[in-house]
Amino acid sequence: MGPDVPLLNDYKQEFFLKRFPQTVLGGPRFKLGYCAPPYIYVNQIILFLIPWVLGGVGTLLYQLGIMKDYYTAALSGGLMFVTALILQMTNLYAKQKTVTVERMQIQNTLTDEDEFEFSSCIGSETVKFIIPGKKYIINTIFHSLLAGVLCGLGTWYLLPNRITLLYSNIGGTVMIFVFGWLTICIGEYSLIINTATETATFQALDTYEITALMRPFYIFVFIAVDLAHREIQRVYLFGVFRNPCYPKDVRTVTVFMEKQRRLMKVGVVRRILLTLVSPFAMIAFLALDRSLQNLHSVSVCIGFTRIFRMVWQNTENALMDIVVVSVAQMLVFNPDLWWNRSLDTGIRLLLVGILRDRLLQFVSKLQFAIAILLTSWTEKKQRRKSAATLITLNVVFFPILLTFIAISALLSSPLLPLFTLPVFLIGFPRPVRSWPGPVGTTACVCSDTVYYQQMVPSLAVALQSALAAGSLGLSLPGSHYLCRFQDRLMWILVLEKGFTYCGVNIKGLELQETSCHAAEAHRVDEIFEMAFEHQEHTKILSPNHHFGHILTPCTVLPVRLYSDARNVLSGIIDSHENLKHLKDDFIKVLVWMLVQYCYKKSKTWESPGSANKSNKGSFSENQRKAAVERSRPLREEDSFSVDTIEDWTDDSDIFDLEPSGRMKDRKEPGPLGDIPKVHVSIPGSVETQGQGIPQEMSPEDKLYRAVVLGLPAVDKGKQREALPRVEFSCSYSELLSIPEEWRTAPVPPSKVNEMRQRFPEEWYHFILSQLDFFHLKEKPYNLPEALMKDKALKDLYIHGVLSCCFGLFGLDNTVPAPSHVFRAYTGGIPWSVGLDWLTGKPELFQLALKAFRYTFKLMVDKASLGPIENFKELVNYLEEYENDWYIGLVSDLEWQQAVLKEKPYLFSLGHDPNMGIYTGRVLTLQELLVQVGKLNDEAVRGQWANLSWELLYATNDDEERYSIQAHPVLLRNLTVQAADPPLGYPVYSSELLHLPLF
């Protein structure tokens, strides 16, 4: 034989030219080798394009906005399923009409040159030629159902709007749409019309009609890879190039969710494929393996038991291992090679799995080692005197370094950089968490812990969706993620992962940033901003400028948490105009708060009489007796006795705020011993003559105010007199009456008259008009008007407001200074007689303090948003403060409780003594974007291994040690913080959180 021997025999060339187009098009036979009527070709073309037509119906309805995308997919898939069943039923009908009895034909891929005689366009011979039909009923149903699923998925995948949003190119959209539908038509034709002979033919007979499933399977795999690949959901592909499908310039939740909506649907498809399709497909593939048909050996049992378990526990890696083994099986043609001769499929999968895991560890450890080597010179703050020597030794002994890394990867032990220098040792194998003990039981709890406690439930829900959609990449036990939002840093550790579930531990790092913490947090912000916020004008597949950093951005998650805004109040709190109206606003707010307090309390009473009865029932026996006695004038000698003389000593100082000796510790007997015995103007009663209390004081007398008005002595030989009963003109007024003990403030009558002039009567009437008293069974229709006309009730509120003003501002009418406003807001104003009386009524003091804080917030809002137009707007402000705000101090216990209860807004006033400025802090609860990045697992394990060695073995617990200093590339300080105490110091550590992934 010479070199001119033909590659294909002449008599087979024509046969090949007929078969090859049929193979390419998926089954249509347009070259028969004999004369056939034109309708044979026309019918095949129509049947070939049917999936496109049915999918086009759904596409058109979606483009016109009549149906949503998933409804159109379901519609097209359902139409295709019905069409496929009709075609198969048509074939069965044609076979039944055939008169001649034929032997059941089994498709032979080597003999398809039979000639047919056609009688009509829809004759039985024509139908049997074009649609050979299925041999088994089960295949008829299954293939039809699969055809419907394929058409529906293809319709959804090839929607023009979706393709345009992903690739932003009209020409590319048209190309993908046309060739995509041609591919779908080829797969559908091969599945339900006529199966083409495949080039990968291993046997002549296709007994179970498996060949018909091959092309749809390839299409499913392609769509799965294109849509559900774990990298498509991430911002960087393999950590190097930016994903062109990922939304650009992500800053707000609304914009991001609109752009991310398409990818999230892709994530749903990925979830279905990984949890429903892939496991069963792999089980079917493994169940047909020839190794299971022979006598089982130990190696077969070990290999297949492992892979069958791995299919459900680690579906992604199991799928990758099976693909690698299948490809290797196809490429290795030599049957005598040890891979084919000595190893069964289970052992091959075991070896591939071990190789895959150790190879990934080797690459991560190598990246970690190179990062330490390079940054020990490129980062100036990391450049020690020994840096050049260590780098030279590592370069000279680089093969030994690679050996160390390979051994460390083989043993699955951390690569330990001694003191985080480029001196590498092989660490001891450690568990995933690196330290034993229950999850979440150790944390350095502080006031910042509450912010992490509030956000973790919402973050866990967002993580659940991201992990299920593949947005965080391939997550395995031991994977670490870092989340960033404003000043908060969350460290996420994957503890366990299985079929449709994942267990994680979330830690919160300190909010009070040190210099090292701030330096690394700033670098983290730069990395995330480059990935998510500065991508509007970048090119497609732009490189990751921070490649080699241990942090690789993955995605952003919408999380319900508090945003923290801090503003300087200069120009507001020190404005004379604002401070001048502060007291008047305080009176209005306090009136509203007292009325609301009494109104809410009245809801527990059934009738006006029950209120009086309830009041009396709360008195002690001595109080009831004292209430009967007539009031008598106070004599000067009543305030002096021998007992009071004994309380003073030679060492006593009349200017002391608290008496010395026994007087300091003594308490007056009797239930009313705490009430100062000073007669004041009582609303609704006949006023007594003044008791010599000065009405006005000069500034020089302020020093002696504590002596003149402070804690007057009580004649212990006589019982304390009760206040006269208030006579209301309206019987329902007692429902809104303030408690009796709140009317005893030692204020002069002149101040009461002055308060009557300043009292906002119109505002008081407006508040009363807003009360509905729905809780009363019987009430007069003009109840609000009757309450407004009751002067005794108004006098009660005048005296109650005056008592609070006396406690917070004193008797002066001067404009309060910013320092006094700050002290009053924080409850730290200097001691005075009024404050001493007010603090003796804890409930009233809390109401007054709350009213002042509301007033201050109102002052800030008026300065920022403009003046208040009417009473209705003012009520709206106050009701919003009451329902949606917590206004107080960050150090308050109620602040932490409000955060945990998720109050929509929180406000606090602060002061910086160094800069001399006042600041306002506002926390707003809303859904915001939290940036998430994946950390190099081996870098974390290596640094934690060094931390354990350095603290537990070398006992190097110096707070300024080298290994805890800031390292912008390795994030050394943050990594140390995230370790479990006592080695690390996270301020929050959650329990094991189980996240369902389906």
Side-chain angles (χ1 to χ4, degrees), residues 209-458:
E209 299 178 316
I210 296 177
T211 307
L213 302 175
M214 298 307 297
R215 297 196 181 215
F217 174 75
Y218 296 150
I219 296 174
F220 277 124
V221 170
F222 174 82
I223 295 178
V225 170
D226 185 54
L227 293 182
H229 191 275
R230 57 184 170 266
E231 291 292 334
I232 199 172
Q233 297 286 334
R234 303 178 64 182
V235 63
Y236 285 115
L237 300 175
F238 306 104
V240 181
F241 298 104
R242 195 180 196 279
N243 185 357
C245 301
Y246 197 86
K248 296 181 179 180
D249 197 20
V250 177
R251 298 189 184 184
T252 62
V253 176
T254 305
V255 175
F256 171 75
M257 294 305 294
E258 179 64 25
K259 294 182 178 180
Q260 182 76 353
R261 186 167 58 90
R262 302 290 177 177
L263 286 179
M264 293 308 295
K265 293 181 180 179
V266 173
V268 173
V269 177
R270 174 189 183 273
R271 194 180 312 176
I272 295 174
L273 291 176
L274 280 181
T275 56
L276 297 179
V277 179
S278 297
F280 292 103
M282 288 188 286
I283 292 294
F285 172 81
L286 295 171
L288 297 177
D289 191 79
R290 290 179 299 177
S291 302
L292 297 178
Q293 310 301 324
N294 303 324
L295 183 63
H296 293 181
S297 62
V298 175
S299 62
V300 171
C301 294
I302 293 175
F304 277 91
T305 300
R306 172 193 168 275
I307 191 60
F308 275 123
R309 179 183 178 276
M310 192 176 176
V311 163
W312 298 105
Q313 294 299 108
N314 198 344
T315 308
E316 297 99 324
N317 285 338
L319 185 60
M320 182 181 296
D321 295 346
I322 290 177
V323 170
V324 171
V325 170
S326 301
V327 172
Q329 186 71 22
M330 295 174 61
L331 296 179
V332 178
F333 297 103
N334 187 0
D336 295 330
L337 193 65
W338 66 274
W339 177 265
N340 289 331
R341 184 183 69 255
S342 304
L343 302 178
D344 58 77
T345 304
I347 297 300
R348 294 171 192 161
L349 291 170
L350 175 62
L351 294 177
V352 169
I354 294 175
L355 182 62
R356 169 190 46 77
D357 180 73
R358 297 306 188 265
L359 181 61
L360 291 177
Q361 286 194 36
F362 178 83
V363 173
S364 297
K365 294 176 191 294
L366 181 61
Q367 182 183 359
F368 174 46
I370 292 177
I372 292 180
L373 277 172
L374 295 179
T375 56
S376 64
W377 183 262
T378 57
E379 296 287 336
K380 292 184 178 180
K381 293 186 177 180
Q382 309 300 325
R383 192 183 301 170
R384 301 171 62 87
K385 295 180 179 179
S386 59
T389 303
L390 293 176
I391 293 174
T392 303
L393 291 175
N394 277 277
V395 171
V396 172
F397 297 101
F398 189 71
I400 298 178
L401 175 60
L402 289 179
T403 304
F404 273 37
I405 297 176
I407 296 175
S408 176
L410 185 63
L411 297 177
S412 191
S413 60
L415 182 67
L416 193 156
L418 200 61
F419 300 104
T420 64
L421 294 171
V423 178
F424 301 100
L425 303 175
I426 301 174
F428 290 96
R430 308 178 68 86
V432 170
R433 291 187 55 239
S434 295
W435 292 279
V439 180
T441 57
T442 56
C444 301
V445 179
C446 64
S447 59
D448 297 333
T449 303
V450 67
Y451 302 109
Y452 293 109
Q453 289 177 330
Q454 178 274 324
M455 68 177 295
V456 160
S458 178

Side-chain angles (χ1 to χ4, degrees), residues 57-69 71-72 161:
V57 173
T59 302
L60 182 62
L61 293 176
Y62 171 76
Q63 295 296 123
L64 294 177
I66 300 176
M67 298 179 69
K68 294 184 178 180
D69 49 1
Y71 290 138
T72 61
N161 281 359

Side-chain angles (χ1 to χ4, degrees), residues 112 218 246 337 364 416 477 581 601 703 744 748 781 842 923 942 959:
D112 57 356
Y218 296 150
Y246 197 86
L337 193 65
S364 297
L416 193 156
H581 296 94
K601 196 173 181 180
L703 178 62
T744 58
Y781 69 93
L923 299 185
E959 294 182 355

